[in-house]
Coordinates of all heavy atoms in Angstrom, one line a residue:
M24 N -16.8 -39.0 26.1 CA -18.0 -38.6 26.9 C -19.2 -39.5 26.4 O -19.5 -39.5 25.2 CB -18.2 -37.2 26.7 CG -19.5 -36.7 27.4 SD -20.1 -35.1 27.0 CE -18.9 -34.1 27.8
S25 N -19.8 -40.1 27.3 CA -21.0 -40.9 27.0 C -22.2 -40.0 27.2 O -22.3 -39.2 28.2 CB -21.1 -42.2 27.8 OG -21.2 -41.9 29.2
R26 N -23.2 -40.2 26.4 CA -24.4 -39.5 26.5 C -25.5 -40.5 26.8 O -25.6 -41.6 26.3 CB -24.8 -38.7 25.2 CG -23.7 -37.6 25.0 CD -24.0 -37.0 23.6 NE -25.2 -36.2 23.7 CZ -25.3 -35.0 23.3 NH1 -24.2 -34.4 22.8 NH2 -26.4 -34.3 23.4
R27 N -26.4 -40.1 27.7 CA -27.5 -41.0 28.0 C -28.8 -40.3 27.7 O -28.9 -39.1 27.7 CB -27.5 -41.4 29.5 CG -27.8 -40.3 30.5 CD -27.8 -40.9 31.9 NE -28.3 -39.9 32.8 CZ -29.5 -39.7 33.3 NH1 -30.5 -40.5 32.9 NH2 -29.8 -38.8 34.1
T28 N -29.8 -41.1 27.3 CA -31.1 -40.6 27.0 C -31.9 -40.3 28.2 O -31.9 -41.1 29.1 CB -31.8 -41.6 26.1 OG1 -31.1 -41.9 24.9 CG2 -33.2 -41.1 25.7
V29 N -32.4 -39.1 28.3 CA -33.3 -38.7 29.4 C -34.6 -38.2 28.9 O -34.7 -37.8 27.7 CB -32.6 -37.6 30.2 CG1 -31.3 -38.1 30.9 CG2 -32.3 -36.3 29.4
S30 N -35.6 -38.2 29.7 CA -36.9 -37.7 29.3 C -36.8 -36.2 29.3 O -36.0 -35.5 29.9 CB -38.0 -38.2 30.3 OG -37.8 -37.6 31.5
L31 N -37.8 -35.6 28.7 CA -37.9 -34.1 28.6 C -38.0 -33.5 30.0 O -37.3 -32.6 30.4 CB -39.0 -33.7 27.7 CG -39.1 -32.2 27.4 CD1 -37.9 -31.7 26.7 CD2 -40.4 -31.9 26.6
P32 N -38.9 -34.1 30.9 CA -39.0 -33.6 32.3 C -37.7 -33.7 33.1 O -37.3 -32.8 33.8 CB -40.1 -34.4 32.9 CG -40.9 -34.8 31.8 CD -40.0 -35.0 30.6
E33 N -37.0 -34.8 32.8 CA -35.7 -35.0 33.5 C -34.7 -34.0 33.1 O -34.0 -33.4 33.9 CB -35.1 -36.4 33.3 CG -35.9 -37.5 33.9 CD -35.4 -38.9 33.5 OE1 -35.0 -39.1 32.3 OE2 -35.3 -39.8 34.4
A34 N -34.6 -33.7 31.8 CA -33.6 -32.8 31.3 C -33.9 -31.4 31.8 O -33.0 -30.6 32.3 CB -33.7 -32.7 29.8
W35 N -35.2 -31.0 31.9 CA -35.6 -29.7 32.3 C -35.6 -29.5 33.8 O -35.3 -28.4 34.4 CB -36.9 -29.2 31.7 CG -36.5 -28.7 30.3 CD1 -36.4 -29.4 29.2 CD2 -36.1 -27.4 30.1 NE1 -36.0 -28.6 28.2 CE2 -35.8 -27.3 28.7 CE3 -35.9 -26.2 30.8 CZ2 -35.3 -26.2 28.1 CZ3 -35.5 -25.1 30.2 CH2 -35.2 -25.0 28.8
A36 N -35.8 -30.6 34.6 CA -35.6 -30.5 36.0 C -34.2 -30.2 36.3 O -33.9 -29.3 37.2 CB -36.0 -31.9 36.7
A37 N -33.2 -30.8 35.6 CA -31.8 -30.5 35.8 C -31.5 -29.1 35.4 O -30.8 -28.4 36.2 CB -30.9 -31.5 35.1
R38 N -32.0 -28.6 34.3 CA -31.7 -27.3 33.9 C -32.2 -26.2 34.8 O -31.6 -25.1 35.0 CB -32.2 -27.1 32.5 CG -31.4 -27.8 31.4 CD -32.0 -27.6 30.0 NE -31.3 -28.5 29.1 CZ -31.8 -28.9 28.0 NH1 -33.0 -28.4 27.6 NH2 -31.1 -29.7 27.2
L39 N -33.4 -26.5 35.3 CA -34.1 -25.5 36.2 C -33.7 -25.7 37.7 O -34.1 -24.9 38.5 CB -35.6 -25.6 36.1 CG -36.1 -25.3 34.7 CD1 -37.6 -25.6 34.6 CD2 -35.9 -23.8 34.4
G40 N -32.9 -26.7 38.0 CA -32.5 -26.9 39.4 C -33.7 -27.4 40.3 O -33.7 -27.1 41.4
I41 N -34.5 -28.2 39.7 CA -35.7 -28.7 40.4 C -35.4 -30.2 40.7 O -35.0 -30.9 39.9 CB -37.0 -28.6 39.5 CG1 -37.3 -27.1 39.2 CG2 -38.2 -29.2 40.2 CD1 -38.4 -26.9 38.2
D42 N -35.8 -30.6 41.9 CA -35.5 -32.0 42.3 C -36.5 -33.0 41.7 O -36.1 -34.1 41.3 CB -35.6 -32.1 43.9 CG -34.4 -31.4 44.5 OD1 -33.3 -31.3 43.9 OD2 -34.6 -30.9 45.7
A43 N -37.8 -32.6 41.7 CA -38.8 -33.6 41.2 C -39.2 -33.2 39.8 O -39.5 -32.1 39.5 CB -40.0 -33.5 42.1
T44 N -39.2 -34.2 38.9 CA -39.6 -34.0 37.5 C -41.1 -33.6 37.5 O -41.5 -32.9 36.5 CB -39.4 -35.2 36.7 OG1 -40.1 -36.3 37.2 CG2 -37.9 -35.6 36.6
A45 N -41.9 -34.0 38.4 CA -43.3 -33.6 38.4 C -43.5 -32.1 38.6 O -44.5 -31.6 38.2 CB -44.0 -34.3 39.6
D46 N -42.5 -31.4 39.1 CA -42.6 -30.0 39.4 C -42.2 -29.1 38.2 O -42.4 -27.9 38.2 CB -41.7 -29.5 40.6 CG -42.2 -30.2 41.9 OD1 -43.4 -30.5 42.0 OD2 -41.4 -30.3 42.8
V47 N -41.7 -29.7 37.1 CA -41.3 -29.0 35.9 C -42.5 -28.3 35.3 O -42.4 -27.1 34.9 CB -40.6 -29.9 34.9 CG1 -40.3 -29.2 33.6 CG2 -39.2 -30.4 35.5
A48 N -43.6 -28.9 35.1 CA -44.7 -28.3 34.5 C -45.2 -27.1 35.3 O -45.5 -26.1 34.7 CB -45.9 -29.4 34.4
Q49 N -45.2 -27.2 36.6 CA -45.6 -26.1 37.4 C -44.7 -24.9 37.3 O -45.1 -23.8 37.2 CB -45.8 -26.5 38.9 CG -46.9 -27.4 39.2 CD -46.9 -27.9 40.6 OE1 -45.9 -28.0 41.2 NE2 -48.1 -28.2 41.1
E50 N -43.4 -25.2 37.3 CA -42.4 -24.2 37.1 C -42.5 -23.4 35.8 O -42.5 -22.2 35.7 CB -41.0 -24.7 37.3 CG -39.9 -23.7 37.1 CD -39.8 -22.6 38.1 OE1 -40.3 -22.8 39.2 OE2 -39.2 -21.6 37.8
L51 N -42.7 -24.2 34.7 CA -42.8 -23.6 33.4 C -44.1 -22.8 33.3 O -44.2 -21.7 32.7 CB -42.8 -24.6 32.3 CG -41.4 -25.3 32.1 CD1 -41.5 -26.5 31.2 CD2 -40.3 -24.3 31.7
A52 N -45.2 -23.3 33.9 CA -46.5 -22.6 33.9 C -46.3 -21.3 34.7 O -46.9 -20.2 34.3 CB -47.6 -23.4 34.5
A53 N -45.6 -21.3 35.8 CA -45.4 -20.1 36.6 C -44.6 -19.0 35.8 O -44.9 -17.8 35.8 CB -44.7 -20.4 37.9
R54 N -43.6 -19.5 35.1 CA -42.8 -18.6 34.3 C -43.6 -18.0 33.1 O -43.5 -16.8 32.8 CB -41.6 -19.3 33.7 CG -40.5 -19.5 34.8 CD -39.4 -20.3 34.3 NE -38.4 -20.6 35.3 CZ -37.2 -20.0 35.4 NH1 -36.9 -19.1 34.5 NH2 -36.4 -20.4 36.4
F55 N -44.5 -18.8 32.5 CA -45.3 -18.3 31.5 C -46.3 -17.3 32.0 O -46.6 -16.3 31.4 CB -46.1 -19.5 30.8 CG -46.9 -19.1 29.6 CD1 -46.4 -18.7 28.4 CD2 -48.3 -19.1 29.8 CE1 -47.2 -18.3 27.4 CE2 -49.1 -18.6 28.7 CZ -48.5 -18.2 27.5
E56 N -46.9 -17.6 33.1 CA -47.9 -16.7 33.8 C -47.2 -15.4 34.1 O -47.8 -14.3 33.8 CB -48.4 -17.3 35.0 CG -49.5 -16.4 35.7 CD -50.0 -17.0 37.0 OE1 -49.8 -18.2 37.3 OE2 -50.6 -16.3 37.8
H57 N -46.0 -15.4 34.6 CA -45.3 -14.2 34.9 C -45.0 -13.4 33.7 O -45.2 -12.2 33.6 CB -44.0 -14.5 35.7 CG -43.2 -13.2 35.9 ND1 -42.1 -12.9 35.0 CD2 -43.2 -12.2 36.8 CE1 -41.6 -11.8 35.4 NE2 -42.2 -11.4 36.5
L58 N -44.6 -14.0 32.6 CA -44.2 -13.4 31.4 C -45.5 -12.8 30.8 O -45.4 -11.6 30.3 CB -43.6 -14.4 30.4 CG -43.2 -13.8 29.1 CD1 -42.1 -12.7 29.2 CD2 -42.7 -14.9 28.2
T59 N -46.6 -13.5 30.7 CA -47.8 -13.0 30.1 C -48.4 -11.8 30.9 O -48.8 -10.8 30.3 CB -48.9 -14.0 29.9 OG1 -49.1 -14.7 31.1 CG2 -48.4 -15.1 28.9
R60 N -48.3 -11.9 32.2 CA -48.8 -10.8 33.0 C -47.9 -9.5 32.8 O -48.5 -8.4 32.7 CB -48.8 -11.2 34.5 CG -49.5 -10.2 35.4 CD -49.5 -10.5 36.9 NE -49.8 -11.9 37.1 CZ -48.9 -12.7 37.8 NH1 -47.8 -12.2 38.3 NH2 -49.2 -14.0 38.0
F61 N -46.7 -9.7 32.7 CA -45.7 -8.6 32.5 C -46.0 -7.9 31.1 O -46.1 -6.7 31.1 CB -44.3 -9.1 32.5 CG -43.3 -8.1 32.3 CD1 -43.0 -7.1 33.3 CD2 -42.5 -8.0 31.2 CE1 -42.0 -6.1 33.1 CE2 -41.6 -7.0 31.0 CZ -41.3 -6.1 31.9
V62 N -46.2 -8.7 30.1 CA -46.4 -8.2 28.8 C -47.8 -7.6 28.6 O -48.0 -6.5 28.1 CB -46.2 -9.3 27.7 CG1 -46.6 -8.8 26.3 CG2 -44.7 -9.7 27.7
L63 N -48.9 -8.3 29.1 CA -50.2 -8.0 28.8 C -50.8 -6.9 29.7 O -51.8 -6.3 29.4 CB -51.1 -9.2 28.9 CG -50.8 -10.3 27.8 CD1 -51.7 -11.5 28.0 CD2 -51.0 -9.7 26.4
T64 N -50.2 -6.7 30.9 CA -50.8 -5.7 31.8 C -50.2 -4.3 31.6 O -50.4 -3.4 32.3 CB -50.6 -6.1 33.2 OG1 -49.2 -6.2 33.5 CG2 -51.4 -7.4 33.5
G65 N -49.3 -4.2 30.6 CA -48.7 -2.8 30.3 C -47.6 -2.5 31.3 O -47.3 -1.3 31.4
E66 N -47.0 -3.4 32.0 CA -46.0 -3.1 33.0 C -44.6 -3.1 32.3 O -43.6 -2.9 33.0 CB -46.0 -4.2 34.1 CG -47.2 -4.2 34.9 CD -47.3 -5.3 35.9 OE1 -46.2 -5.9 36.1 OE2 -48.4 -5.6 36.4
M67 N -44.6 -3.2 31.0 CA -43.3 -3.2 30.3 C -42.6 -1.8 30.4 O -43.3 -0.8 30.2 CB -43.4 -3.6 28.9 CG -43.8 -5.1 28.7 SD -43.9 -5.6 27.0 CE -42.2 -5.6 26.6
P68 N -41.3 -1.7 30.7 CA -40.7 -0.4 30.7 C -40.5 0.2 29.3 O -40.7 -0.5 28.3 CB -39.3 -0.7 31.3 CG -39.1 -2.2 31.0 CD -40.4 -2.8 30.9
R69 N -40.3 1.5 29.3 CA -40.1 2.1 28.0 C -38.9 1.5 27.3 O -38.0 1.0 27.9 CB -40.0 3.6 28.2 CG -38.7 4.0 28.8 CD -38.7 5.5 29.1 NE -37.4 6.0 29.6 CZ -36.7 5.6 30.7 NH1 -37.2 4.7 31.4 NH2 -35.6 6.2 31.0
P70 N -38.8 1.6 26.0 CA -37.7 1.0 25.2 C -36.4 1.6 25.7 O -36.2 2.8 25.9 CB -38.0 1.4 23.8 CG -39.4 1.6 23.7 CD -39.8 2.1 25.1
G71 N -35.4 0.8 25.9 CA -34.1 1.2 26.4 C -33.9 1.2 27.9 O -32.8 1.3 28.4
A72 N -35.0 1.1 28.6 CA -34.9 1.1 30.1 C -34.6 -0.3 30.6 O -34.9 -1.3 29.9 CB -36.3 1.6 30.7
V73 N -33.9 -0.3 31.6 CA -33.5 -1.6 32.2 C -34.1 -1.7 33.6 O -34.1 -0.8 34.4 CB -31.9 -1.6 32.4 CG1 -31.5 -2.9 33.1 CG2 -31.3 -1.5 31.0
S74 N -34.7 -2.9 33.9 CA -35.3 -3.1 35.2 C -35.2 -4.6 35.5 O -35.0 -5.4 34.7 CB -36.8 -2.7 35.1 OG -37.6 -3.7 34.4
A75 N -35.2 -4.8 36.8 CA -35.1 -6.2 37.3 C -36.3 -7.0 36.7 O -36.2 -8.2 36.4 CB -35.1 -6.3 38.8
E76 N -37.5 -6.4 36.7 CA -38.7 -7.1 36.2 C -38.5 -7.5 34.7 O -38.9 -8.6 34.3 CB -39.9 -6.2 36.4 CG -41.2 -6.9 36.1 CD -41.6 -7.9 37.2 OE1 -41.0 -7.9 38.3 OE2 -42.5 -8.7 36.9
A77 N -38.0 -6.6 33.9 CA -37.7 -6.8 32.5 C -36.7 -7.9 32.3 O -36.8 -8.8 31.5 CB -37.3 -5.6 31.8
A78 N -35.7 -7.9 33.2 CA -34.6 -8.9 33.1 C -35.2 -10.3 33.4 O -34.9 -11.3 32.8 CB -33.5 -8.6 34.0
T79 N -36.1 -10.4 34.4 CA -36.7 -11.6 34.8 C -37.6 -12.1 33.7 O -37.6 -13.3 33.3 CB -37.5 -11.5 36.1 OG1 -36.6 -11.0 37.1 CG2 -38.2 -12.7 36.5
A80 N -38.4 -11.2 33.1 CA -39.2 -11.6 32.0 C -38.4 -12.1 30.8 O -38.8 -13.1 30.1 CB -40.1 -10.4 31.5
H81 N -37.3 -11.5 30.5 CA -36.4 -11.9 29.4 C -35.9 -13.3 29.7 O -35.9 -14.2 28.9 CB -35.3 -11.0 29.2 CG -34.4 -11.3 28.1 ND1 -33.3 -12.1 28.3 CD2 -34.4 -11.1 26.8 CE1 -32.7 -12.3 27.1 NE2 -33.4 -11.7 26.2
G82 N -35.5 -13.6 31.0 CA -35.1 -14.9 31.4 C -36.2 -15.9 31.2 O -35.9 -17.1 30.8
D83 N -37.4 -15.6 31.6 CA -38.5 -16.5 31.5 C -38.8 -16.8 30.0 O -39.0 -18.0 29.6 CB -39.8 -15.9 32.1 CG -39.8 -15.8 33.6 OD1 -39.0 -16.5 34.2 OD2 -40.6 -15.0 34.1
L84 N -38.7 -15.8 29.1 CA -38.9 -16.0 27.7 C -37.8 -17.0 27.2 O -38.1 -17.9 26.4 CB -38.8 -14.7 27.0 CG -39.0 -14.8 25.5 CD1 -40.4 -15.4 25.1 CD2 -38.9 -13.4 24.9
W85 N -36.6 -16.8 27.6 CA -35.4 -17.6 27.2 C -35.7 -19.1 27.6 O -35.5 -20.0 26.8 CB -34.1 -17.1 27.8 CG -32.9 -17.9 27.4 CD1 -32.2 -17.8 26.3 CD2 -32.3 -18.9 28.2 NE1 -31.2 -18.7 26.3 CE2 -31.2 -19.4 27.5 CE3 -32.6 -19.4 29.4 CZ2 -30.4 -20.4 27.9 CZ3 -31.8 -20.4 29.9 CH2 -30.7 -20.9 29.2
V86 N -36.1 -19.3 28.9 CA -36.4 -20.6 29.4 C -37.5 -21.3 28.6 O -37.4 -22.4 28.1 CB -36.7 -20.6 30.9 CG1 -37.3 -21.9 31.3 CG2 -35.5 -20.3 31.7
L87 N -38.6 -20.6 28.4 CA -39.7 -21.1 27.7 C -39.4 -21.4 26.2 O -39.8 -22.5 25.7 CB -40.9 -20.2 27.8 CG -41.5 -20.1 29.2 CD1 -42.5 -18.9 29.2 CD2 -42.2 -21.3 29.6
A88 N -38.6 -20.6 25.6 CA -38.2 -20.8 24.2 C -37.3 -22.1 24.1 O -37.5 -22.9 23.2 CB -37.5 -19.6 23.6
G89 N -36.5 -22.2 25.1 CA -35.6 -23.4 25.1 C -36.4 -24.7 25.3 O -36.2 -25.7 24.7
F90 N -37.4 -24.6 26.2 CA -38.2 -25.8 26.5 C -39.0 -26.2 25.2 O -39.1 -27.3 24.9 CB -39.2 -25.5 27.6 CG -40.1 -26.7 27.8 CD1 -39.7 -27.8 28.5 CD2 -41.4 -26.6 27.4 CE1 -40.6 -28.9 28.7 CE2 -42.3 -27.7 27.5 CZ -41.9 -28.8 28.2
L91 N -39.6 -25.2 24.6 CA -40.4 -25.5 23.3 C -39.5 -26.1 22.3 O -39.9 -27.0 21.5 CB -41.1 -24.2 22.8 CG -42.2 -23.7 23.7 CD1 -42.7 -22.4 23.2 CD2 -43.3 -24.7 23.8
A92 N -38.3 -25.6 22.1 CA -37.3 -26.2 21.2 C -37.0 -27.6 21.5 O -37.0 -28.5 20.6 CB -36.0 -25.4 21.1
D93 N -36.8 -27.9 22.8 CA -36.5 -29.3 23.2 C -37.8 -30.2 23.1 O -37.7 -31.3 22.7 CB -36.1 -29.3 24.7 CG -34.6 -29.0 24.8 OD1 -33.9 -28.8 23.8 OD2 -34.1 -28.9 26.0
A94 N -39.0 -29.6 23.3 CA -40.2 -30.4 23.2 C -40.4 -30.8 21.7 O -40.8 -31.9 21.4 CB -41.4 -29.6 23.7
R95 N -40.1 -29.8 20.8 CA -40.2 -30.1 19.4 C -39.2 -31.2 19.0 O -39.5 -32.1 18.3 CB -39.9 -28.9 18.6 CG -40.0 -29.0 17.1 CD -39.9 -27.7 16.4 NE -39.0 -27.9 15.3 CZ -38.4 -27.0 14.6 NH1 -38.6 -25.7 15.0 NH2 -37.7 -27.3 13.5
T96 N -38.0 -31.2 19.5 CA -37.0 -32.2 19.3 C -37.5 -33.5 19.8 O -37.3 -34.6 19.2 CB -35.6 -31.8 19.9 OG1 -35.2 -30.6 19.3 CG2 -34.6 -32.9 19.6
A97 N -38.0 -33.5 21.0 CA -38.5 -34.7 21.7 C -39.6 -35.4 20.9 O -39.7 -36.6 20.9 CB -39.0 -34.5 23.1
M98 N -40.4 -34.6 20.2 CA -41.4 -35.2 19.4 C -40.9 -35.9 18.1 O -41.5 -36.8 17.6 CB -42.4 -34.1 18.9 CG -43.2 -33.7 20.1 SD -44.6 -32.6 19.9 CE -44.3 -31.6 18.5
T99 N -39.6 -35.6 17.7 CA -39.1 -36.2 16.6 C -37.9 -37.2 16.9 O -37.5 -38.0 16.1 CB -38.6 -35.2 15.6 OG1 -37.6 -34.3 16.2 CG2 -39.7 -34.3 15.1
Q100 N -37.3 -37.0 18.0 CA -36.2 -37.9 18.4 C -36.0 -37.8 19.9 O -36.6 -37.1 20.6 CB -34.9 -37.4 17.7 CG -34.5 -36.0 18.0 CD -33.3 -35.6 17.1 OE1 -32.5 -36.4 16.8 NE2 -33.3 -34.3 16.8
E101 N -35.0 -38.5 20.4 CA -34.7 -38.6 21.9 C -34.0 -37.4 22.3 O -33.1 -36.8 21.6 CB -34.0 -39.8 22.2 CG -34.7 -41.1 21.9 CD -33.9 -42.3 22.2 OE1 -32.7 -42.3 22.0 OE2 -34.5 -43.4 22.5
V102 N -34.2 -36.9 23.5 CA -33.5 -35.8 24.1 C -32.3 -36.4 24.9 O -32.5 -37.3 25.6 CB -34.4 -35.0 25.1 CG1 -33.6 -33.9 25.8 CG2 -35.6 -34.4 24.4
T103 N -31.1 -35.8 24.6 CA -29.9 -36.3 25.3 C -29.3 -35.2 26.1 O -29.5 -34.0 25.8 CB -28.9 -36.9 24.3 OG1 -28.5 -35.9 23.4 CG2 -29.4 -38.1 23.6
R104 N -28.5 -35.6 27.1 CA -27.9 -34.6 27.9 C -26.5 -35.1 28.2 O -26.2 -36.2 28.2 CB -28.7 -34.5 29.2 CG -27.9 -33.9 30.4 CD -28.8 -33.6 31.5 NE -29.3 -34.8 32.2 CZ -29.4 -34.9 33.5 NH1 -29.1 -33.9 34.2 NH2 -29.8 -36.0 34.0

């Protein structure tokens, strides 16, 4: 299997299913905005409760954490896919 070097926006456009790499920043910003609104406005469900909103927020957190890990790697080496 050959690996090719891709830019951080290219890698994340593919992971997020976005056609244009220019839209990656907007998508990540929207996910961050949703997550912070969910956490900071007190809309979080009680511990142990399950909701679609909580599941979406968890997914947003997972995506943002992955992006930050890749960004850190990109600052020290090339991102490969």
Side-chain angles (χ1 to χ4, degrees):
M24 173 192 287
S25 66
R26 295 174 70 127
R27 70 177 184 96
T28 301
V29 296
S30 69
L31 189 61
E33 288 173 323
W35 276 89
R38 289 180 188 157
L39 296 171
I41 299 171
D42 293 330
T44 59
D46 295 337
V47 170
Q49 290 175 332
E50 177 66 22
L51 292 172
R54 287 175 183 255
F55 182 74
E56 181 181 346
H57 174 260
L58 181 62
T59 55
R60 190 177 321 121
F61 181 72
V62 171
L63 297 176
T64 60
E66 296 174 16
M67 293 184 66
R69 70 187 189 299
V73 178
S74 73
E76 190 73 15
T79 301
H81 182 268
D83 290 344
L84 180 59
W85 180 83
V86 166
L87 293 167
F90 175 79
L91 291 174
D93 281 356
R95 183 174 137 195
T96 299
M98 291 189 328
T99 59
Q100 60 187 327
E101 296 174 330
V102 177
T103 57
R104 161 170 70 140

